[in-house]
Structures are given as C-alpha cells and as structure tokens.
Amino acid sequence: SIGKGEKKWVQSRIYPVRDISGTICNIIIVHEDISEIKQVQEALASSEEKYRTLVENIHVGVYQIQADERGSFIWANHAMIVFFGYDSVEDFLKISSIDLYVDPDDRKKYLEKVLDEGYVRDYKIQMKKKDQTPIWVSVTSHIRYSPEGAIMWIDGILEDITAYYQVEELKWKAFSQIDKNMEQ
C-alpha cells in the first residue's frame, strides 16, 4: 500500500504469449517494486559525492599508483597537482611516481617496504616538484588486493612536510652556532 504523497519505483517487464502458429495472442505484464533498490542507489550516490568532495578539497595528496618499479599514477586529487607544481591532473597523470623522487633508489626502498609489509605509515621521502625544487613528504599507503589476492594497486596519502624540515634545519644551524660560540 502506498501512503499519501509516497512514491514508489516500479520496474515493468512485458512478455509476449504466442499461440502455436507464433502469433502473439496475449501479453503478460509483471510489475516489481524496486523502491528499496532505488533508495540504496541514491544513498550510495550521495555518499560517493560526499567522499569525492572531501578527497578533492583536503590539503593532503591522495593517489593510486601501480605497484611496479615506475609507479604509474592511476588517479590523484588536486592537492597532489598543487604539491608538485603541475598545471592539471591530466599533465600529472602522464608522469610516474619515480619521476618525483630526488633519488630513484628511494622509490625502490619505498616499494620494497610496502610490498613486504602491505603498507607504510608516515614514511619520510625527499621528492621534487616539476621545476626540480626538492620537498619533503610523509607517505602513508597500503596495497589494494583483488578478491583473489593479487595486487591491484597502491592507495596512498601524501603530506608536504617541507616546512617542518626547514624549521628543524634552522634549529640545527642555531644550535651549531651556539656550540661554536661556546667553544671560543
């Protein structure tokens, strides 16, 4: 029963009934209430939109890369493009993650760690922007497996921690200078 103002989604199927000669002599119409399915689909679409908006507007890089030596990007949010100084997502997705490492051996070490453990948390790496300016990042990532257990890709979050390293470097220089002054 449908209450006043309540809407129902209905899917209808029409089946022809043929006589012995193959002529359609009747039809059967089957109506199925799919309101619950539609509600679930609408809730899922709303949830996906909220997630997409969140990921696109946060100030940390979110990405998916291939779990191979080069680490080709599958997807990246806008913050990744800003961090690395690219003009568009399309331009950024043309490169591989190994192109962003100051030292390509760091990519190998990162990949070995994530493949051995299945994830990394707060992994510090020095990378470089499009214009070759070095930056420090903290990476948290994990492997995404298929239901069969095969590696599909690596999901990750990247945070620019260059300012932290710059402050630490200034502290180190200040303490070094104090030590030199005290020795004199």
Side-chain angles (χ1 to χ4, degrees):
S1 70
I2 299 176
K4 186 175 181 178
E6 186 178 346
K7 295 180 182 178
K8 292 279 185 181
W9 284 89
V10 178
Q11 179 177 349
S12 299
R13 294 188 190 114
I14 301 174
Y15 300 96
V17 177
R18 300 180 186 270
D19 62 18
I20 280 193
S21 68
T23 304
I24 296 175
C25 61
N26 215 337
I27 59 169
I28 298 174
I29 302 174
V30 177
H31 300 288
E32 180 181 6
D33 181 354
I34 59 168
S35 299
E36 191 172 310
I37 293 169
K38 284 302 233 179
Q39 288 172 349
V40 169
Q41 288 173 338
E42 288 169 1
L44 179 60
S46 175
S47 177
E48 286 176 354
E49 181 61 29
K50 287 177 188 173
Y51 168 77
R52 187 175 298 109
T53 300
L54 173 68
V55 168
E56 285 302 322
N57 292 305
I58 60 176
H59 296 289
V60 295
V62 181
Y63 63 89
Q64 290 178 332
I65 57 173
Q66 295 292 331
D68 59 15
E69 190 174 307
R70 294 212 34 87
S72 299
F73 283 97
I74 300 167
W75 177 86
N77 72 343
H78 184 71
M80 289 286 287
I81 286 61
V82 172
F83 285 162
F84 291 105
Y86 282 80
D87 298 324
S88 68
V89 172
E90 294 76 26
D91 285 343
F92 186 76
L93 293 179
K94 290 177 186 174
I95 66 166
S96 295
S97 65
I98 197 166
D99 300 327
L100 300 173
Y101 284 77
V102 169
D103 180 354
D105 285 340
D106 287 344
R107 166 72 185 160
K108 291 175 186 171
K109 291 173 190 170
Y110 158 79
L111 187 59
E112 286 173 11
K113 184 169 177 63
V114 77
L115 291 176
D116 286 347
E117 298 178 20
Y119 71 95
V120 295
R121 183 167 284 122
D122 295 322
Y123 191 82
K124 311 295 190 271
I125 308 169
Q126 189 173 32
M127 300 184 101
K128 61 186 174 186
K129 293 183 174 194
K130 182 180 180 181
D131 68 3
Q132 304 303 304
T133 302
I135 61 172
W136 281 95
V137 298
S138 175
V139 177
T140 297
S141 60
H142 69 278
I143 295 174
R144 177 71 66 178
Y145 295 95
S146 71
E148 297 79 31
I151 295 173
M152 296 190 314
W153 62 75
I154 298 172
D155 287 328
I157 297 172
L158 179 143
E159 185 175 3
D160 184 350
I161 57 171
T162 304
Y164 169 78
Y165 271 84
Q166 290 169 339
V167 167
E168 290 300 310
E169 187 177 325
L170 288 173
K171 282 190 214 174
W172 178 255
K173 286 179 182 177
F175 287 130
S176 295
Q177 189 61 41
I178 290 169
D179 286 344
K180 285 180 187 176
N181 291 341
M182 293 184 80
E183 289 176 1
Q184 294 175 354

